[in-house]
Amino acid sequence: AAHHELEEKYADAERILQNEDYEERIEDLEIQNEELTAQTSDLEHMNDEANRKIKMLEEDLSRAEGNREAAESKVKELDIEVTTINNVLKKMEAAEGLQSEREEKLEENIHNLKQTKSNLSIRAENA
């Protein structure tokens, strides 16, 4: 009977130790759970922040692409304007060249007419 009582006490002691081990294990797991929950929360916050930054960068990129397209369009307009101005300048230079030739011919004609008048005046005096 005493032996049986000792075995029961021994079994009870083992159960108590096992329960204490389980309780310690449960406490450890609860601590780990709290730590992981905190880490998860931090990671979720970091992820939200990263997503917010990505969205801002995508919006910036979209605006930059719009600005680039507008700039390219303006460059094309300015290229056309420069070409048009160059063509007008070429026509004006050509017209100026013709005008200069015409002025020279008119000045030559005036000179010739003055010479002819002078010659006629001399003849009229001599006649």
Side-chain angles (χ1 to χ4, degrees), residues 8-19:
E8 282 183 24
K9 286 185 181 182
Y10 180 76
D12 288 342
E14 275 189 341
R15 279 193 292 276
I16 290 170
L17 287 176
Q18 284 180 349
N19 284 339

Side-chain angles (χ1 to χ4, degrees), residues 3 16 27 48 50 66-67 95 98 119 126-127:
H3 179 67
I16 290 170
E27 286 176 16
D48 291 344
N67 290 341
L98 292 174
N119 289 341
N126 291 336

Side-chain angles (χ1 to χ4, degrees), residues 54-67:
I54 288 170
K55 185 176 180 183
M56 287 174 46
L57 289 172
E58 287 172 343
E59 290 170 357
D60 289 348
L61 177 61
S62 178
R63 277 193 299 275
E65 287 173 345
N67 290 341

Side-chain angles (χ1 to χ4, degrees), residues 62-76:
S62 178
R63 277 193 299 275
E65 287 173 345
N67 290 341
R68 178 189 52 82
E69 289 170 3
E72 286 176 351
S73 176
K74 187 66 177 176
V75 166
K76 287 177 184 177

Side-chain angles (χ1 to χ4, degrees), residues 8 13-14 22 24 26 37-38 41 44 57 63-64 68-69 72 78-79 83 97 106-107 119 121:
E8 282 183 24
E14 275 189 341
Y22 286 134
E24 282 182 32
I26 288 172
T37 301
S41 177
E44 286 174 349
L57 289 172
R63 277 193 299 275
R68 178 189 52 82
E69 289 170 3
E72 286 176 351
L78 292 174
D79 280 343
T83 300
L106 287 173
E107 286 176 5
N119 289 341
S121 292

